[in-house]
Amino acid sequence: MLSRDRIVAAAISLIEREGADAVSMRRIAAELGVGVMSLYNHVPNKSALLDAVAETVLSRIEFTDDPSAHWTDRVRMQARAFRQIAHDFPRCTMVVVSRQLRSTAGLLPVERALATLRDAGFDGRQAVRMLRVFIAYIVGSLLREVGVTPTFAPVRPDVAVAEVDPALFPLVGEFAPDLMACDHEEEFDFGLELLVQAMAVRAEQAAGREGPHRR
Amino acid sequence: MLSRDRIVAAAISLIEREGADAVSMRRIAAELGVGVMSLYNHVPNKSALLDAVAETVLSRIEFTDDPSAHWTDRVRMQARAFRQIAHDFPRCTMVVVSRQLRSTAGLLPVERALATLRDAGFDGRQAVRMLRVFIAYIVGSLLREVGVTPTFAPVRPDVAVAEVDPALFPLVGEFAPDLMACDHEEEFDFGLELLVQAMAVRAEQAAGREGPHRR
DNA sequence: AAAGTACACGTACGGTGTACGTCTAGGAGG
DNA sequence: CCTCCTAGACGTACACCGTACGTGTACTTT
């Protein structure tokens, strides 16, 4: 029996196996051994199907929030949980990131993050700003990791950097070894740490300003 | 007379007017008052055309690097220059960001950034890491600004946040006013400042560690 | 048994990228 | 001047796409 869930699962599987470009209604139907138009009994159109894919992948994020932990550690955990989907569904990442969905699946992470940031001592305005900085960093990192936006952080730097004219780009040539090496996890954690530490400084400032008035 | 440049210009114009989805070879040909297949005398295929679009837009970035300025200001200028393309070519941004091109157009910004970071006192490894963090942040920010990835930083939060059940997402409800307000430039500069300050701390550490051995 | 419904499916239409062959205008060589 | 060659505009054709619409069938309800 056909069902929305089976269709979405087939779409995700197809994307992971052959890339997002390979997705077509006909292809998915064939994958399920079913006529093309049967899909439309469960999904209104292709766009909605891709939204469902994004939502499903997003809902797979496992947040193990520990409210008793220090807020910096909670931020780290949440960021890494988010990043984990890039490993579990690498080729779906672009779909998730590029699709604007307004379901509750997308709001749960926001709720969690806001709770953590408020516990860190930020007010609403600050918390939202911090959240947005983090989301921007994470999204950008995932895109690089997944293979998009590679020009500046080469995925196959061996070909990209090696051919470069050292006269035109002396520093690119000089730093080639470092540009070519890219341990994604290490890079991600480096930026994460940078942000967390910067956030901690702001948190202290925030606490200092309102501290005297507290309680 | 048809030419590669005219075709690319027509594509950019079309994307800005009607969005990336409106781009088709037939549409571009019609725009130029020309037969479809004539395009293929100047462009090998649609994918290459989109690459050319990305490259052209990217090359429009105006870097006014001032080597005499403090490195933190140079970083700010470069980041803002990059962001400027999201204003000049808003609907092309997704194309630029999602296309992996390995031309020299993408290396010039890298070269400039590496020069700045080296002047800040970072060695190759550190400079590359910092660069990647910045690129991730900028790319993520542009995507939000352009209207993609809106779930976590709603573009039309009025509809997204307003309908939310405060019982399920109390903090989203509580912070709704802050979530709904989003001055893109302000948000961008906030994160930029956060990163620059965090970088400055690392730069001092780097200088401190190797300082005694210097010169 | 009759009626209604849910859903799988075929056909068809207007769109897409592009391989291939043709035609024409302009320059080069005699 | 005439011929030949070539660059490039163009039409046709094919395989594929999303999906509107109508039909058939199996199952549920009355």
Side-chain angles (χ1 to χ4, degrees):
Chain A
M1 187 60 169
L2 213 46
S3 78
R4 188 186 137 107
D5 283 349
R6 282 191 61 208
I7 295 175
V8 172
I12 292 178
S13 159
L14 181 58
I15 292 176
E16 288 306 326
R17 272 179 295 124
E18 308 194 20
D21 291 345
V23 175
S24 82
M25 299 303 272
R26 286 171 161 83
R27 195 82 168 63
I28 293 174
E31 207 91 2
L32 291 166
V34 124
V36 197
M37 292 316 289
S38 306
L39 302 179
Y40 287 88
N41 287 321
H42 306 269
V43 164
N45 51 48
K46 185 182 181 181
S47 175
L49 172 56
L50 290 180
D51 282 344
V53 166
E55 190 175 332
T56 302
V57 169
L58 213 49
S59 71
R60 288 275 204 285
I61 301 182
E62 291 179 16
F63 286 113
T64 52
D65 194 16
D66 174 11
S68 71
H70 189 41
W71 67 266
T72 53
D73 284 330
R74 292 168 65 192
V75 168
R76 278 184 265 261
M77 302 240 5
Q78 290 179 33
R80 294 208 185 95
F82 210 105
R83 175 175 177 270
Q84 184 64 33
I85 70 167
H87 280 176
D88 297 344
F89 305 93
R91 311 184 81 164
C92 282
T93 303
M94 192 63 196
V95 176
V96 174
V97 149
S98 70
R99 213 129 256 281
Q100 71 182 57
L101 39 96
R102 62 233 160 290
S103 76
T104 57
L107 282 180
L108 182 61
V110 172
E111 179 73 18
R112 293 283 177 81
L114 288 178
T116 304
L117 291 169
R118 196 200 42 185
D119 288 357
F122 295 112
D123 62 24
R125 182 184 176 81
Q126 291 170 316
V128 168
R129 279 177 161 180
M130 290 293 179
L131 173 60
R132 288 189 176 139
V133 172
F134 259 84
I135 289 167
Y137 171 67
I138 293 172
V139 167
S141 294
L142 293 195
L143 284 189
R144 161 161 49 76
E145 194 157 339
V146 155
V148 199
T149 54
T151 309
F152 322 113
V155 191
R156 0 180 55 96
D158 34 9
V159 297
V161 176
E163 303 166 349
V164 120
D165 183 357
L168 285 175
F169 305 106
L171 284 175
V172 171
E174 183 183 336
F175 292 166
D178 295 304
L179 280 168
M180 288 163 67
C182 190
D183 179 328
H184 290 300
E185 180 158 350
E186 201 176 47
E187 301 276 343
F188 183 80
D189 284 345
F190 174 79
L192 180 57
E193 219 49 45
L194 202 68
L195 281 175
V196 167
Q197 288 175 15
M199 263 179 59
V201 173
R202 298 294 174 103
E204 283 175 24
Q205 291 172 358
R209 262 202 312 280
E210 73 170 307
H213 303 281
R214 258 201 171 159
R215 213 105 322 179
Chain B
M1 187 62 171
L2 212 47
S3 78
R4 189 186 135 105
D5 283 349
R6 281 191 62 208
I7 295 176
V8 172
I12 292 178
S13 158
L14 181 58
I15 292 176
E16 288 305 325
R17 271 180 295 124
E18 308 193 19
D21 291 344
V23 175
S24 83
M25 300 303 272
R26 286 170 163 84
R27 194 82 168 65
I28 293 174
E31 206 92 359
L32 291 166
V34 125
V36 196
M37 293 316 288
S38 307
L39 302 178
Y40 287 88
N41 286 322
H42 307 270
V43 164
N45 52 49
K46 185 182 181 181
S47 175
L49 172 56
L50 291 180
D51 282 345
V53 165
E55 191 175 332
T56 302
V57 169
L58 212 50
S59 72
R60 290 273 204 285
I61 301 182
E62 290 180 15
F63 286 113
T64 52
D65 193 16
D66 174 10
S68 70
H70 190 42
W71 67 265
T72 53
D73 284 330
R74 292 168 66 193
V75 168
R76 278 184 265 259
M77 303 245 354
Q78 291 179 33
R80 294 208 185 95
F82 211 103
R83 175 175 177 270
Q84 183 65 31
I85 68 168
H87 281 176
D88 298 343
F89 305 93
R91 312 185 80 163
C92 283
T93 304
M94 190 63 195
V95 176
V96 174
V97 149
S98 70
R99 214 129 254 282
Q100 72 183 56
L101 38 97
R102 62 233 160 289
S103 77
T104 57
L107 281 180
L108 182 62
V110 173
E111 179 72 18
R112 294 282 178 83
L114 289 178
T116 304
L117 292 169
R118 196 199 42 186
D119 289 356
F122 295 111
D123 63 25
R125 182 183 175 81
Q126 290 170 317
V128 169
R129 279 177 161 180
M130 290 293 180
L131 173 59
R132 289 190 176 138
V133 172
F134 260 83
I135 290 169
Y137 171 67
I138 294 173
V139 167
S141 295
L142 293 194
L143 283 189
R144 162 160 48 77
E145 194 157 340
V146 155
V148 199
T149 53
T151 310
F152 323 112
V155 191
R156 352 184 57 98
D158 34 9
V159 296
V161 175
E163 303 165 349
V164 122
D165 183 356
L168 284 175
F169 305 106
L171 284 175
V172 171
E174 182 182 336
F175 293 167
D178 295 303
L179 280 168
M180 289 162 67
C182 189
D183 179 328
H184 290 300
E185 181 158 349
E186 200 176 48
E187 301 276 343
F188 182 81
D189 284 345
F190 174 79
L192 180 58
E193 219 49 45
L194 202 68
L195 281 175
V196 167
Q197 288 175 16
M199 264 179 59
V201 173
R202 298 294 174 104
E204 283 174 24
Q205 291 172 357
R209 261 202 315 279
E210 72 170 309
H213 304 280
R214 255 201 171 160
R215 222 60 12 145

